[in-house]
Every structure is written in structure tokens, then in C-alpha cells.
Amino acid sequence: DAYINFHGVIPHHDYSIGQFKPAFGEEGIRSNAQLDFVERSFVGQLGDRRDLGIQAHGTWWDDRFQYWIGAFNGAGNYYGSAGDFQNRSDDNDEKDFSYRVLLRPLWKNECWGSIELGFSSVMGTKGESAGQLPLDAPVNGLNRNQSWAIRHAGWASYLPGGPVKGLWLRGEWGYIKDRNAPGTVVDVANVEIQQAGKPFVSTGWYAAAGYKISDSVFCDSAPGWIKPFEVALRYDTFENVQVADLTNQNHTDNFSTNVWTVGLNYYIKGHDAKIQMNYNIVEDPDIDNDARSFHDVKNNSFVVNFQVAF
């Protein structure tokens, strides 16, 4: 991050200019220190990208209603196959435009808890010339067919109060429509690289739940060694496996990877010092009667994270 923030000039508003994460989605723009699991979800990774631009932020009703509007360079593409957004000059002569809206109809209510709802989008024109070749220069954004690219993210969370406080529920949905850079998608059927792929859509979502003992009604009565624990569970799916169509090489087929994650967090000093343990059950695409013959590989993993934040 490298940006300047202007505030205190216009009531309820502040403005940022520089390199930072555009306000997109919920999990992606959270600090690494604030994550519920060791790694972000597939959808969360879409928003975990910095860009150069300017953004206005408005907040009302004690931060219970907020909105963001921004304009950014928008280098590369939304699939990440044309290089990263950050630490680079622009590679096209258009800008990306973004908005994000957040509403908290219920917030920090002792009996009913907190509800947060939100939606965001980033969109822009990519490419310019009709030709996509040569393949050895895929980051030249102007040397691609022009297309309108867009991505969306919507989310909801609920932290109930009363006798079930300590429980939290959270979910997010993501959508991308863009084209990949030339030479980045494999045509398995013809054992070659897709040269001029058309724009296509990928979607996915996650749902997660957890229970934090230190926030629960059992906090005062639980033994001291139990209080720092939190259990968490997440189901995560996204169409992240992309290959050329069997009959039309310019079309892209995409398939979902599904991940079940069981997590255990131990808070030594809140998010400033904690230990996280995750076991990921990974379900790779396994399509019957498909000429591409996906391999049924076991990609399960056990991940441990020790975190110190300051």
C-alpha cells in the first residue's frame, strides 16, 4: 500500500489516492491478520489485489451505511493471467470503475446481534486492437481484442446475540466475466495453447460458520485454557480450472474445485498473536465421459499458521 487519504473536509466522506486494494467484496480487502482461516477463499482472493487509482468513501448512520466509488488503472485482466494489477504502469488506455455498498440493518444489538449485507462491482474495457498475437507478449493490453470485463461480489454475515452469541455465520458470492491473456489456456484435446480465447464467465461462493468461546455465554464459566479457542468450518467452491472447449478452441470451459475446511484457532492476544490449524479436503474436477480425462488426485492438506501482527 502507498496512498494518501484526505478526510475531515466534506462531512461523512474521505478520499484516497495511490496504490491500495479497491473496495471489492468482503474477505478480500480484510487485513491478513483478520482472517478466519489460514488462507482466503477463492472469492476472497479476487479482492486481494492492489491497483493504482482514486476512491471516495461515504459513511452514515454510525457506519451502518457506507459506500465507495473509485476509478483505477485496471492493468492486466480479472483472471490474473495478464500479470498483476499492482506495481506496474497501465497497459491500456481505459480505466476501471468500481462501487461498493454496505448496509448493517442490525448492529451490535445485545439480544439479536449484528447483520451485514453488501454488494460490489469493478468494470472496464480491456484491449483495443483486433489482433491478439504474438503469444510472446501477452501483457501488452492493447494487443488484444476489445472486450467489456466485469466482476461482482456479494456477501452477508450474521453474528447472533443472546444465548447463542459467539456463533458467527458468513458467506460470499463472486462472478467474473473477462477473457484470458493469449497463450494461458491449454487445449488438452489438441495438446496446444489457446491463442484467441473469447470472454467467459466464472462463478463461485463460500459459506462459513464458527464459534468463538471468548465471545460466548460460557466465557465466564469455561476453564481458562478453553477460552482462547475458536472452531470454524467452511465450504468453498469456484470455477477455477479452465481449459479450451473440445470442439471450439476459442471457447473456454471451466470446472469447479470444491474445498471443505475444518479450522481451529487459538487466540493468544486477539488477532495480534494467534495460532491457526486448518485441514482442507479438496475435491478436484472429476468429469465422467470427458475426453480431457481429469485426474482424480488427492490434494488434501493440513496447514498451520502462527501469526504476530502489529
Side-chain angles (χ1 to χ4, degrees):
D1 291 323
Y3 62 89
I4 298 172
N5 179 264
F6 298 90
H7 55 275
V9 179
I10 300 178
H12 301 285
H13 290 82
D14 65 273
Y15 305 87
S16 297
I17 183 169
Q19 178 168 278
F20 52 92
K21 293 181 182 179
F24 177 76
E26 191 277 327
E27 188 187 43
I29 60 176
R30 262 195 267 165
S31 164
N32 291 342
Q34 303 291 321
L35 298 179
D36 305 313
F37 298 87
V38 176
E39 297 175 312
R40 285 180 170 82
S41 64
F42 290 121
V43 173
Q45 293 175 32
L46 301 180
D48 187 27
R49 298 174 179 177
R50 292 167 177 82
D51 201 351
L52 287 164
I54 185 170
Q55 182 171 267
H57 172 220
T59 177
W60 303 82
W61 195 22
D62 295 329
D63 294 339
R64 293 175 63 175
F65 175 62
Q66 301 182 48
Y67 49 84
W68 294 256
I69 300 174
F72 296 88
N73 274 356
N77 64 5
Y78 296 151
Y79 283 114
S81 57
D84 208 341
F85 298 170
Q86 67 186 38
N87 298 333
R88 64 185 294 188
S89 57
D90 204 349
D91 68 345
N92 60 69
D93 55 4
E94 301 285 348
K95 298 301 174 192
D96 280 4
F97 298 94
S98 68
Y99 71 88
R100 183 179 192 258
V101 180
L102 178 153
L103 176 65
R104 293 165 173 165
L106 189 66
W107 195 244
K108 297 182 180 178
N109 184 284
E110 186 64 28
C111 294
W112 302 105
S114 300
I115 295 176
E116 179 177 298
L117 307 171
F119 195 85
S120 60
S121 300
V122 181
M123 63 205 78
T125 300
K126 308 292 184 180
E128 182 171 299
S129 63
Q132 286 192 309
L133 302 178
L135 291 178
D136 60 356
V139 296
N140 181 358
L142 296 178
N143 192 29
R144 295 198 201 108
N145 291 331
Q146 189 177 86
S147 61
W148 175 255
I150 191 166
R151 53 182 177 142
H152 304 295
W155 70 94
S157 66
Y158 180 45
L159 285 71
V164 292
K165 67 178 182 179
L167 177 69
W168 55 264
L169 305 168
R170 184 175 289 113
E172 190 168 359
W173 166 86
Y175 168 103
I176 299 177
K177 182 178 181 181
D178 201 353
R179 70 170 80 239
N180 266 308
T184 59
V185 175
V186 176
D187 180 1
V188 180
N190 298 311
V191 195
E192 61 183 43
I193 301 297
Q194 185 184 72
Q195 296 186 1
K198 295 182 178 180
F200 64 99
V201 172
S202 293
T203 61
W205 58 275
Y206 80 85
Y211 191 77
K212 192 174 183 180
I213 297 175
S214 62
D215 292 341
S216 72
V217 295
F218 304 108
C219 179
D220 294 334
S221 59
W225 64 273
I226 291 181
K227 293 180 182 180
F229 280 102
E230 177 185 43
V231 294
L233 176 67
R234 179 175 69 190
Y235 176 74
D236 186 16
T237 181
F238 201 83
E239 294 173 320
N240 67 321
V241 178
Q242 301 157 6
V243 292
D245 186 80
L246 290 171
T247 58
N248 187 340
Q249 209 260 358
N250 290 336
H251 287 274
T252 302
D253 297 334
N254 49 10
F255 302 91
S256 296
T257 299
N258 309 317
V259 183
W260 290 91
T261 301
V262 179
L264 183 66
N265 301 326
Y266 184 84
Y267 293 92
I268 302 169
K269 190 177 181 181
H271 289 290
D272 291 338
K274 68 181 179 183
I275 300 172
Q276 295 177 291
M277 293 178 287
N278 288 176
Y279 186 74
N280 300 304
I281 303 172
V282 182
E283 300 173 351
D284 290 324
D286 184 15
I287 312 299
D288 295 330
N289 301 319
D290 193 291
R292 285 165 288 214
S293 300
F294 286 102
H295 297 293
D296 187 14
V297 179
K298 299 296 183 183
N299 284 327
N300 297 353
S301 62
F302 179 65
V303 186
V304 178
N305 176 51
F306 172 64
Q307 171 178 294
V308 176
F310 54 89

PDB file of all heavy atoms in Angstrom, residues 3 44 98 101 128 147 181 188 213 237 242 245 253 256 258 263 271 288 310:
ATOM      1  N   TYR A   3      -0.553   5.225  -0.312  1.00  0.00           N
ATOM      2  CA  TYR A   3      -1.630   6.125  -0.710  1.00  0.00           C
ATOM      3  C   TYR A   3      -1.745   7.284   0.280  1.00  0.00           C
ATOM      4  O   TYR A   3      -1.211   7.238   1.394  1.00  0.00           O
ATOM      5  CB  TYR A   3      -2.959   5.379  -0.806  1.00  0.00           C
ATOM      6  CG  TYR A   3      -3.450   4.774   0.490  1.00  0.00           C
ATOM      7  CD1 TYR A   3      -4.246   5.499   1.374  1.00  0.00           C
ATOM      8  CD2 TYR A   3      -3.120   3.460   0.815  1.00  0.00           C
ATOM      9  CE1 TYR A   3      -4.696   4.941   2.544  1.00  0.00           C
ATOM     10  CE2 TYR A   3      -3.567   2.896   1.997  1.00  0.00           C
ATOM     11  CZ  TYR A   3      -4.358   3.630   2.859  1.00  0.00           C
ATOM     12  OH  TYR A   3      -4.799   3.078   4.034  1.00  0.00           O
ATOM     13  N   GLY A  44     -12.524 -14.650  -1.979  1.00  0.00           N
ATOM     14  CA  GLY A  44     -11.725 -13.662  -1.269  1.00  0.00           C
ATOM     15  C   GLY A  44     -10.453 -13.287  -1.993  1.00  0.00           C
ATOM     16  O   GLY A  44      -9.997 -12.139  -1.930  1.00  0.00           O
ATOM     17  N   SER A  98     -15.340   1.325 -10.101  1.00  0.00           N
ATOM     18  CA  SER A  98     -15.794   0.414  -9.060  1.00  0.00           C
ATOM     19  C   SER A  98     -16.799   1.092  -8.139  1.00  0.00           C
ATOM     20  O   SER A  98     -16.826   2.312  -8.003  1.00  0.00           O
ATOM     21  CB  SER A  98     -14.597  -0.086  -8.234  1.00  0.00           C
ATOM     22  OG  SER A  98     -14.041   0.977  -7.466  1.00  0.00           O
ATOM     23  N   VAL A 101     -21.265  -1.119  -1.802  1.00  0.00           N
ATOM     24  CA  VAL A 101     -22.313  -0.645  -0.894  1.00  0.00           C
ATOM     25  C   VAL A 101     -22.419  -1.624   0.263  1.00  0.00           C
ATOM     26  O   VAL A 101     -22.438  -2.853   0.061  1.00  0.00           O
ATOM     27  CB  VAL A 101     -23.669  -0.530  -1.616  1.00  0.00           C
ATOM     28  CG1 VAL A 101     -24.745  -0.046  -0.648  1.00  0.00           C
ATOM     29  CG2 VAL A 101     -23.574   0.408  -2.812  1.00  0.00           C
ATOM     30  N   GLU A 128      -7.771  -3.355 -27.218  1.00  0.00           N
ATOM     31  CA  GLU A 128      -8.142  -2.337 -28.199  1.00  0.00           C
ATOM     32  C   GLU A 128      -8.053  -2.851 -29.623  1.00  0.00           C
ATOM     33  O   GLU A 128      -9.019  -2.805 -30.368  1.00  0.00           O
ATOM     34  CB  GLU A 128      -7.246  -1.106 -28.036  1.00  0.00           C
ATOM     35  CG  GLU A 128      -7.610   0.026 -28.994  1.00  0.00           C
ATOM     36  CD  GLU A 128      -6.875   1.305 -28.672  1.00  0.00           C
ATOM     37  OE1 GLU A 128      -7.067   1.820 -27.564  1.00  0.00           O
ATOM     38  OE2 GLU A 128      -6.110   1.775 -29.520  1.00  0.00           O
ATOM     39  N   SER A 147     -12.861  -5.944 -25.238  1.00  0.00           N
ATOM     40  CA  SER A 147     -13.993  -6.586 -24.573  1.00  0.00           C
ATOM     41  C   SER A 147     -14.325  -5.825 -23.303  1.00  0.00           C
ATOM     42  O   SER A 147     -13.477  -5.140 -22.730  1.00  0.00           O
ATOM     43  CB  SER A 147     -13.675  -8.054 -24.250  1.00  0.00           C
ATOM     44  OG  SER A 147     -12.558  -8.143 -23.385  1.00  0.00           O
ATOM     45  N   ALA A 181      -5.481 -13.895 -21.118  1.00  0.00           N
ATOM     46  CA  ALA A 181      -4.412 -13.449 -21.999  1.00  0.00           C
ATOM     47  C   ALA A 181      -4.056 -14.556 -22.991  1.00  0.00           C
ATOM     48  O   ALA A 181      -4.208 -15.749 -22.690  1.00  0.00           O
ATOM     49  CB  ALA A 181      -3.184 -13.074 -21.183  1.00  0.00           C
ATOM     50  N   VAL A 188      -6.447 -29.176 -24.167  1.00  0.00           N
ATOM     51  CA  VAL A 188      -5.998 -30.528 -23.858  1.00  0.00           C
ATOM     52  C   VAL A 188      -6.247 -31.481 -25.012  1.00  0.00           C
ATOM     53  O   VAL A 188      -5.433 -32.357 -25.318  1.00  0.00           O
ATOM     54  CB  VAL A 188      -6.688 -31.035 -22.579  1.00  0.00           C
ATOM     55  CG1 VAL A 188      -6.228 -32.451 -22.242  1.00  0.00           C
ATOM     56  CG2 VAL A 188      -6.395 -30.102 -21.413  1.00  0.00           C
ATOM     57  N   ILE A 213     -15.319 -19.092  21.762  1.00  0.00           N
ATOM     58  CA  ILE A 213     -15.713 -19.298  23.154  1.00  0.00           C
ATOM     59  C   ILE A 213     -15.576 -18.020  23.973  1.00  0.00           C
ATOM     60  O   ILE A 213     -16.406 -17.730  24.839  1.00  0.00           O
ATOM     61  CB  ILE A 213     -14.883 -20.448  23.768  1.00  0.00           C
ATOM     62  CG1 ILE A 213     -15.194 -21.752  23.028  1.00  0.00           C
ATOM     63  CG2 ILE A 213     -15.176 -20.597  25.255  1.00  0.00           C
ATOM     64  CD1 ILE A 213     -14.364 -22.922  23.463  1.00  0.00           C
ATOM     65  N   THR A 237     -16.215 -23.090  -3.112  1.00  0.00           N
ATOM     66  CA  THR A 237     -16.228 -23.626  -4.475  1.00  0.00           C
ATOM     67  C   THR A 237     -16.082 -22.494  -5.482  1.00  0.00           C
ATOM     68  O   THR A 237     -16.611 -21.392  -5.269  1.00  0.00           O
ATOM     69  CB  THR A 237     -17.541 -24.403  -4.744  1.00  0.00           C
ATOM     70  OG1 THR A 237     -17.521 -24.941  -6.076  1.00  0.00           O
ATOM     71  CG2 THR A 237     -18.768 -23.518  -4.572  1.00  0.00           C
ATOM     72  N   GLN A 242      -9.625 -24.025 -15.969  1.00  0.00           N
ATOM     73  CA  GLN A 242     -10.025 -23.519 -17.284  1.00  0.00           C
ATOM     74  C   GLN A 242      -9.252 -24.226 -18.393  1.00  0.00           C
ATOM     75  O   GLN A 242      -8.020 -24.248 -18.380  1.00  0.00           O
ATOM     76  CB  GLN A 242      -9.770 -22.008 -17.343  1.00  0.00           C
ATOM     77  CG  GLN A 242     -10.535 -21.239 -16.277  1.00  0.00           C
ATOM     78  CD  GLN A 242      -9.937 -19.900 -15.940  1.00  0.00           C
ATOM     79  OE1 GLN A 242      -8.984 -19.457 -16.568  1.00  0.00           O
ATOM     80  NE2 GLN A 242     -10.489 -19.232 -14.937  1.00  0.00           N
ATOM     81  N   ASP A 245     -12.418 -25.486 -25.049  1.00  0.00           N
ATOM     82  CA  ASP A 245     -13.530 -26.367 -25.393  1.00  0.00           C
ATOM     83  C   ASP A 245     -13.058 -27.472 -26.345  1.00  0.00           C
ATOM     84  O   ASP A 245     -12.143 -27.279 -27.150  1.00  0.00           O
ATOM     85  CB  ASP A 245     -14.638 -25.541 -26.050  1.00  0.00           C
ATOM     86  CG  ASP A 245     -15.891 -26.349 -26.303  1.00  0.00           C
ATOM     87  OD1 ASP A 245     -16.664 -26.550 -25.369  1.00  0.00           O
ATOM     88  OD2 ASP A 245     -16.074 -26.785 -27.465  1.00  0.00           O
ATOM     89  N   ASP A 253     -13.958 -23.734 -21.432  1.00  0.00           N
ATOM     90  CA  ASP A 253     -14.780 -24.460 -20.461  1.00  0.00           C
ATOM     91  C   ASP A 253     -14.124 -24.331 -19.091  1.00  0.00           C
ATOM     92  O   ASP A 253     -12.892 -24.425 -18.971  1.00  0.00           O
ATOM     93  CB  ASP A 253     -14.886 -25.941 -20.830  1.00  0.00           C
ATOM     94  CG  ASP A 253     -15.590 -26.151 -22.164  1.00  0.00           C
ATOM     95  OD1 ASP A 253     -16.401 -25.285 -22.549  1.00  0.00           O
ATOM     96  OD2 ASP A 253     -15.324 -27.182 -22.817  1.00  0.00           O
ATOM     97  N   SER A 256     -15.277 -26.583 -11.538  1.00  0.00           N
ATOM     98  CA  SER A 256     -15.155 -26.129 -10.153  1.00  0.00           C
ATOM     99  C   SER A 256     -14.233 -27.027  -9.333  1.00  0.00           C
ATOM    100  O   SER A 256     -14.203 -28.246  -9.495  1.00  0.00           O
ATOM    101  CB  SER A 256     -16.532 -26.096  -9.483  1.00  0.00           C
ATOM    102  OG  SER A 256     -17.369 -25.149 -10.096  1.00  0.00           O
ATOM    103  N   ASN A 258     -13.839 -27.806  -5.281  1.00  0.00           N
ATOM    104  CA  ASN A 258     -14.574 -27.665  -4.025  1.00  0.00           C
ATOM    105  C   ASN A 258     -13.643 -27.980  -2.859  1.00  0.00           C
ATOM    106  O   ASN A 258     -12.894 -28.962  -2.905  1.00  0.00           O
ATOM    107  CB  ASN A 258     -15.776 -28.608  -3.983  1.00  0.00           C
ATOM    108  CG  ASN A 258     -16.644 -28.490  -5.222  1.00  0.00           C
ATOM    109  OD1 ASN A 258     -16.920 -27.387  -5.697  1.00  0.00           O
ATOM    110  ND2 ASN A 258     -17.081 -29.627  -5.754  1.00  0.00           N
ATOM    111  N   GLY A 263     -11.372 -25.807  10.767  1.00  0.00           N
ATOM    112  CA  GLY A 263     -10.356 -24.972  11.375  1.00  0.00           C
ATOM    113  C   GLY A 263     -10.458 -24.906  12.884  1.00  0.00           C
ATOM    114  O   GLY A 263     -11.538 -25.032  13.468  1.00  0.00           O
ATOM    115  N   HIS A 271      -6.167 -10.960  17.539  1.00  0.00           N
ATOM    116  CA  HIS A 271      -5.558 -11.186  16.229  1.00  0.00           C
ATOM    117  C   HIS A 271      -4.088 -10.786  16.198  1.00  0.00           C
ATOM    118  O   HIS A 271      -3.389 -11.074  15.224  1.00  0.00           O
ATOM    119  CB  HIS A 271      -6.321 -10.401  15.151  1.00  0.00           C
ATOM    120  CG  HIS A 271      -7.676 -10.956  14.847  1.00  0.00           C
ATOM    121  ND1 HIS A 271      -7.859 -12.166  14.195  1.00  0.00           N
ATOM    122  CD2 HIS A 271      -8.918 -10.483  15.105  1.00  0.00           C
ATOM    123  CE1 HIS A 271      -9.156 -12.404  14.061  1.00  0.00           C
ATOM    124  NE2 HIS A 271      -9.815 -11.397  14.601  1.00  0.00           N
ATOM    125  N   ASP A 288     -16.973 -37.449 -15.624  1.00  0.00           N
ATOM    126  CA  ASP A 288     -17.098 -38.748 -16.293  1.00  0.00           C
ATOM    127  C   ASP A 288     -17.350 -38.549 -17.785  1.00  0.00           C
ATOM    128  O   ASP A 288     -17.969 -37.569 -18.202  1.00  0.00           O
ATOM    129  CB  ASP A 288     -18.246 -39.552 -15.680  1.00  0.00           C
ATOM    130  CG  ASP A 288     -17.983 -39.921 -14.223  1.00  0.00           C
ATOM    131  OD1 ASP A 288     -16.795 -40.078 -13.874  1.00  0.00           O
ATOM    132  OD2 ASP A 288     -18.955 -40.028 -13.453  1.00  0.00           O
ATOM    133  N   PHE A 310       1.278  -6.400  14.167  1.00  0.00           N
ATOM    134  CA  PHE A 310       1.494  -5.161  14.921  1.00  0.00           C
ATOM    135  C   PHE A 310       1.394  -3.975  13.987  1.00  0.00           C
ATOM    136  O   PHE A 310       1.393  -4.130  12.772  1.00  0.00           O
ATOM    137  CB  PHE A 310       2.866  -5.192  15.623  1.00  0.00           C
ATOM    138  CG  PHE A 310       4.013  -5.462  14.706  1.00  0.00           C
ATOM    139  CD1 PHE A 310       4.677  -4.422  14.057  1.00  0.00           C
ATOM    140  CD2 PHE A 310       4.440  -6.761  14.448  1.00  0.00           C
ATOM    141  CE1 PHE A 310       5.749  -4.670  13.212  1.00  0.00           C
ATOM    142  CE2 PHE A 310       5.499  -7.021  13.610  1.00  0.00           C
ATOM    143  CZ  PHE A 310       6.152  -5.967  12.985  1.00  0.00           C
TER     144      PHE A 310
END
